[in-house]
Amino acid sequence: MPDDTTSNMIWENATLLTLCDNGAPYGRIDDGALVIQDGLIAWAGPRAELPSPFSGLARRDCGGRYITPGLIDCHTHLVYGGARIDEFEQRLAGVRYEDIAHAGGGILSTVRATRETPEDQLYKTAATRLKQMIRHGVTTIEIKSGYGLDTESEMKILRVARRLGQDLPVDASVTFLGAHALPPEYKDNRQGYIDLICDEMLSRIAEDKLADAVDGYCEKVGFSAAEMDQVFQAATRLGLKVKLHAEQLSNCHGAILAARHKALSADHLEYLDEAGVDALASAGMVAVLLPGAYYFLKETQKPPVGLLRRYNVPMAIATDHNPGTSPALSLPLMMNMACILWGLTPEEALTGVTHHAARALGMADRGRLDPGQKADFVLWDIGHPAELAYQIGGNACAGVIKAGRELDLGD
Ligand code: NIG
Ligand code: FE
């Protein structure tokens, strides 16, 4: 817990990108001040208008830097054993991702490695990756299982994810993704595996409170909408929220299924059609777009950004960090890709990794610099808001503040 006597403070001499609706792009406030009390934002506004009750608090000069809400990576597969460098080389030589999967590689090769890796080792490698993400401004992360595919291995991954959120200065929202691929033991018994998820895995995971939500891979190389329907019904009976990998490589109508279940989000969505967009809008869902996977797979079908805008579906952006299709550790780089590859504006990209990402996780207490929100924010060494999405390969993050306390980011 933060020691509130020392984290209560005024952060001043900064440009605030509040993302609140104050009439200015980005909810921008020049020469701003951010008042932090008890781990929450108490006030945000122009320094000249600082209310007098706060004037006695300690002050921190931000040196004219920019402040944004803490970044939220709302879709990752952070915990896994091994790597897939060999498949990277195969794909560079022209082999398709689906063909590697059909030949027993892809997700299943990471499943083999993850099952063999001891829990502490999984924790160590995931923690190393997570620290890099934090250095790029992440203060909240979603972490999925899905590389275990048997009850004990899935629970091992979920325990690691929970531990990461407890030990590191980041909030972790944990998602059970048992329906990621068909494990080899059930090669000829698809329904048997769905039953295992519904009748055993979900109840054990719910009992140990190991997951906050349930996800699935609705795809030809994954599970059908009818199969995911069974998983979602079982999850809902246990009071777990749902979300779905949908229309990544083809249109299997996963978004419509997810909308029927009032899912938090549908993710990927390159092959989403207008009926799917309409369903997301009607269900009040978030579209989570994953430019890292699109880029890494050299996909050419773009998600329907124009339609998502027209139907007012909030767009979040995430890394989809995983060893097969998106070994990405930088959310600002994903902002750049979303702008360059799909034409999002830099403001849409920033909203996508903050306010809309928070919505995708069902978290209403973060994602904006607004009184009452958690005091998670980032200092940036930039001279223009769009510079956040402009850089490739650098790191403009100059400070990460979690619950009001500045983190030691090391060298
Ligand atoms: O989100 N699409 C399914 N899952 C991951 C890929 C996982 C893998 O190839 O290991 C994704 O892209
Ligand atoms: Fe994913």
Side-chain angles (χ1 to χ4, degrees), residues 37 49 77 106 120 189 233 304 329 365 396:
Q37 280 187 320
E49 294 171 20
H77 309 248
D120 277 342
N189 182 11
Q233 285 186 34
L329 294 166
D365 63 348

Side-chain angles (χ1 to χ4, degrees), residues 49-106:
E49 294 171 20
L50 186 78
S52 51
F54 298 128
S55 54
L57 286 177
R59 284 166 191 257
R60 166 73 188 268
D61 185 341
C62 299
R65 292 192 175 91
Y66 279 67
I67 295 182
T68 69
L71 305 191
I72 298 170
D73 197 342
C74 65
H75 180 138
T76 85
H77 309 248
L78 194 72
V79 180
Y80 54 84
R84 305 242 290 277
I85 322 285
D86 50 339
E87 290 181 13
F88 171 59
E89 290 188 311
Q90 282 176 43
R91 284 197 306 101
L92 289 176
V95 186
R96 288 168 62 240
Y97 177 68
E98 289 100 315
D99 296 335
I100 293 174
H102 285 309

Side-chain angles (χ1 to χ4, degrees), residues 75 77 84 87 97 106-107 110 147 177 180 217 245 248 268 290 293 297 320 322-326:
H75 180 138
H77 309 248
R84 305 242 290 277
E87 290 181 13
Y97 177 68
I107 294 172
T110 300
Y147 290 121
L177 177 58
H180 195 193
Y217 188 27
H245 286 68
Q248 179 188 11
H268 284 287
L290 305 167
L297 291 176
D320 190 19
N322 76 73
T325 65
S326 188

Side-chain angles (χ1 to χ4, degrees), residues 264-285:
L264 289 165
S265 67
D267 303 35
H268 284 287
L269 303 176
E270 280 85 339
Y271 287 81
L272 186 67
D273 60 12
E274 185 157 1
V277 175
D278 191 17
L280 298 188
S282 306
M285 287 167 57

Side-chain angles (χ1 to χ4, degrees), residues 16-29 347:
L16 309 182
L17 303 181
T18 67
L19 303 177
C20 298
D21 194 4
N22 67 0
Y26 298 87
R28 174 182 180 134
I29 297 172
E347 185 174 357

Side-chain angles (χ1 to χ4, degrees), residues 293-378:
Y294 172 93
Y295 163 82
F296 204 70
L297 291 176
K298 295 206 271 183
E299 178 60 68
T300 52
Q301 171 88 20
K302 300 179 186 186
V305 168
L307 280 174
L308 291 166
R309 284 188 185 124
R310 181 139 33 95
Y311 280 78
N312 278 320
V313 177
M315 291 180 281
I317 308 289
T319 60
D320 190 19
H321 178 90
N322 76 73
T325 65
S326 188
L329 294 166
S330 163
L331 264 183
L333 179 60
M334 298 303 105
M335 293 168 65
N336 173 274
M337 288 185 183
C339 294
I340 295 290
L341 300 172
W342 299 333
L344 269 75
T345 68
E347 185 174 357
E348 283 176 323
L350 180 60
T351 308
V353 296
T354 52
H355 180 50
H356 289 166
R359 281 186 62 175
L361 298 180
M363 292 174 163
D365 63 348
R366 65 197 71 194
R368 285 177 161 169
L369 301 177
D370 206 17
Q373 293 254 296
K374 278 180 79 95
D376 294 352
F377 56 96
V378 184

